[in-house]
Amino acid sequence: MPLALNRSLLEADPEIAQAITDETRRLSDGLEMIASENYASRAVMEAAGSVMTNKYAEGYPGRRYYGGCEFVDVAERLAIERAKRLFGAEHVNVQPHSGAQANLAVFLATLRPGDTILGMDLSHGGHLTHGHPLNVSGMYFNVVTYGVDRETERLDYDALAQLAEKHRPKLIICGASAYPRQIDFARIGEIGRSVRARVLADIAHIAGLVAAGEHPSPIGCVDFVTTTTHKTLRGPRGGLVMCRAEDAKIIDRAVFPGVQGGPLMHIIAAKAVCFREALDANFIEYQRQVRKNAVALGETLSEAGFRLVTGGTDNHLILVDVFTKGITGKAAEQALERAGITVNKNTIPFDANPPLIGSGIRLGTPALTTRGMREDDLRYVGKLIVEALSDVDNAGRQEFIRRKVREMTQDFPLYA
Ligand code: DSN
């Protein structure tokens, strides 16, 4: 009996259909403040849910190991050309399934097992794939970590330079997942050149800001740039690698066949849509607003007595030290979840609490800004957060705030 290809999801799998309906309601009714999340457009999701999911296309446009690739080639060529224009990169590989895969490809292209890498400590705001002992980057390489200054909580570039001089790493990795300030890619690029290390900038969190000129770009300052496509960039869940033309071959070989097989052509098509959206002038306005909203949110929390790591923000996120108010990051995350505000607990630099408890919460504005919220709205959201955290064990108060959140979000409809 042939598979009923044209049945709707609801007919074919009511349980999954229900889970998706519930998730859509959760997104609509709540305040999504996880700094690495956003809402992809319907156009991006249409491409991601398209027939291109069916196609095997190992290889690259015009050089595939399979027939029938003429239309997926169109999609991949558009994705590459648009990403090059968006970031001003000489070469782009759009095939990595994720940011972790993109980083792994750079490691394969530049390192051998046992080589030394210098990466930012996860507990200071770095990323798992930059040398954590439980990640392949920490298992196969000799990892030296750098971090932030204890006083300023900002990246300590002098200490980084000294570590580079002392350990002579083959690769320096910069970029962060919980760092609220600008990163001086030019300085790190110089440090890399001074010790003949190659430099990778992982801009996953700030890619949208970089594309819009709201954060200095690492292109031209460092050797390799990786990113995900679903955070500030607002595309489908995926990754990419950018480099100079002279490194194109080693990167392409490292992605395929080095660390991946068949590319996800439906996702590559969706990345192309995302890059087209990001090339629109509205995207610059959006990224500017993301930053303004983060500042407004930070000011509201500061005024209520919360300590912000580094004292503020230059980008899309703030890191709030809730422990100075006697609350753990975990308790704060749970209380806010009950209030309909989704955030994540986070360590803060030199944290006295273990990572699963944490002294901080990380709050981002990309998703709320996509909904159309502006500074006044973020100030109101900040007040709701302050109220929810004023008594984390008071379920009645959190339910009350949840109702206020639901009222507010009705003015900012999602996925009509
Ligand atoms: N896990 C992502 C984040 O939340 O920052 C980074 O990969």
Side-chain angles (χ1 to χ4, degrees):
M1 197 172 104
L3 173 67
L5 271 179
N6 287 308
R7 271 193 306 171
S8 71
L9 178 63
L10 186 59
E11 288 172 286
D13 193 333
E15 290 161 288
I16 288 294
Q18 187 59 49
I20 292 173
T21 301
D22 291 344
E23 174 63 359
T24 308
R25 189 172 356 91
R26 186 189 73 79
L27 292 174
S28 290
D29 290 354
L31 292 169
E32 202 59 58
M33 301 194 72
I34 291 182
S36 47
E37 293 186 9
N38 211 330
Y39 303 115
S41 68
R42 193 167 286 285
V44 163
M45 293 194 294
E46 213 173 293
S50 71
V51 292
M52 288 198 179
T53 192
N54 295 321
K55 193 71 199 94
Y56 252 118
E58 282 176 20
Y60 290 99
R63 302 177 278 131
R64 306 282 191 186
Y65 289 85
Y66 291 82
C69 287
E70 59 267 46
F71 301 114
V72 293
D73 275 4
V74 171
E76 185 161 346
R77 284 198 175 105
L78 281 171
I80 292 168
E81 285 314 311
R82 290 173 184 172
K84 281 165 100 170
R85 252 196 297 150
L86 186 62
F87 289 101
E90 287 180 9
H91 180 74
V92 179
N93 186 307
V94 295
Q95 293 194 1
H97 303 329
S98 67
Q101 294 286 107
N103 288 346
L104 191 58
V106 174
F107 301 156
L108 184 68
T110 57
L111 301 169
R112 292 291 162 264
D115 281 347
T116 298
I117 61 174
L118 180 54
M120 187 176 181
D121 194 327
L122 177 63
S123 70
H124 284 215
H127 190 256
L128 187 71
T129 57
H130 298 180
H132 190 278
L134 295 178
N135 182 262
V136 64
S137 56
M139 293 177 190
Y140 285 14
F141 308 115
N142 173 40
V143 180
V144 179
T145 57
Y146 63 89
V148 299
D149 176 79
R150 194 177 272 274
E151 284 303 308
T152 63
E153 298 175 307
R154 290 177 186 241
L155 275 169
D156 187 342
Y157 296 98
D158 292 336
L160 200 171
Q162 280 165 16
L163 286 169
E165 186 62 45
K166 180 171 172 200
H167 296 281
R168 297 265 153 182
K170 199 110 174 251
L171 183 72
I172 299 176
I173 307 163
C174 56
S177 62
Y179 184 66
R181 294 298 181 177
Q182 267 190 13
I183 298 175
D184 190 343
F185 294 120
R187 174 95 200 264
I188 300 175
E190 265 168 37
I191 294 171
R193 283 188 292 281
S194 74
V195 297
R196 296 171 159 271
R198 306 215 82 186
V199 178
L200 159 64
D202 175 346
I203 60 166
H205 263 262
I206 55 169
L209 298 173
V210 169
E214 289 294 307
H215 187 293
S217 173
I219 300 282
C221 304
V222 305
D223 301 287
F224 306 100
V225 178
T226 56
T227 183
T228 51
T229 45
H230 50 271
K231 299 186 176 88
T232 46
L233 208 46
R234 208 165 51 181
R237 196 156 287 277
L240 60 86
V241 187
M242 297 178 265
C243 63
R244 295 189 186 95
E246 68 204 49
D247 287 318
K249 250 193 192 136
I250 59 167
I251 286 300
D252 285 353
R253 270 194 208 133
V255 174
F256 170 81
V259 300
Q260 290 188 176
L264 309 177
M265 297 315 301
H266 54 310
I267 299 299
I268 289 172
K271 286 174 186 170
V273 177
C274 153
F275 302 146
R276 185 186 166 125
E277 289 176 353
L279 282 161
D280 190 281
N282 285 334
F283 191 72
I284 296 177
E285 195 42 51
Y286 162 68
Q287 297 295 342
R288 236 173 242 158
Q289 193 63 46
V290 163
R291 283 184 59 200
K292 286 186 197 164
N293 284 352
V295 170
L297 176 68
E299 284 171 357
T300 309
L301 295 180
S302 282
E303 283 156 17
F306 281 93
R307 191 183 83 78
L308 303 188
V309 170
T310 76
T313 179
D314 298 330
N315 58 26
H316 62 301
L317 67 84
I318 58 172
L319 191 55
V320 189
D321 176 356
V322 290
F323 204 55
T324 50
K325 290 266 199 183
I327 315 166
T328 64
K330 184 178 174 187
E333 177 191 299
Q334 289 171 344
L336 290 171
E337 176 121 44
R338 288 191 291 274
I341 303 172
T342 313
V343 309
N344 64 277
K345 62 178 171 292
N346 219 98
T347 53
I348 60 170
F350 309 100
D351 207 324
N353 284 305
L356 284 174
I357 304 288
S359 295
I361 50 172
R362 188 185 65 163
L363 303 171
T365 53
L368 297 191
T369 309
T370 292
R371 286 185 91 147
M373 293 189 192
R374 304 177 73 85
E375 290 100 309
D376 280 350
D377 306 306
L378 268 292
R379 285 193 196 98
Y380 179 67
V381 169
K383 286 184 181 137
L384 294 179
I385 291 172
V386 170
E387 209 174 328
L389 295 184
S390 65
D391 186 356
V392 288
D393 297 320
N394 187 337
R397 177 169 302 182
Q398 281 137 27
E399 183 47 44
F400 176 69
I401 296 165
R402 193 182 187 90
R403 283 200 294 274
K404 287 190 176 179
V405 164
R406 209 169 296 142
E407 266 170 36
M408 177 191 196
T409 53
Q410 277 170 6
D411 292 338
F412 299 94
L414 260 183
Y415 302 129

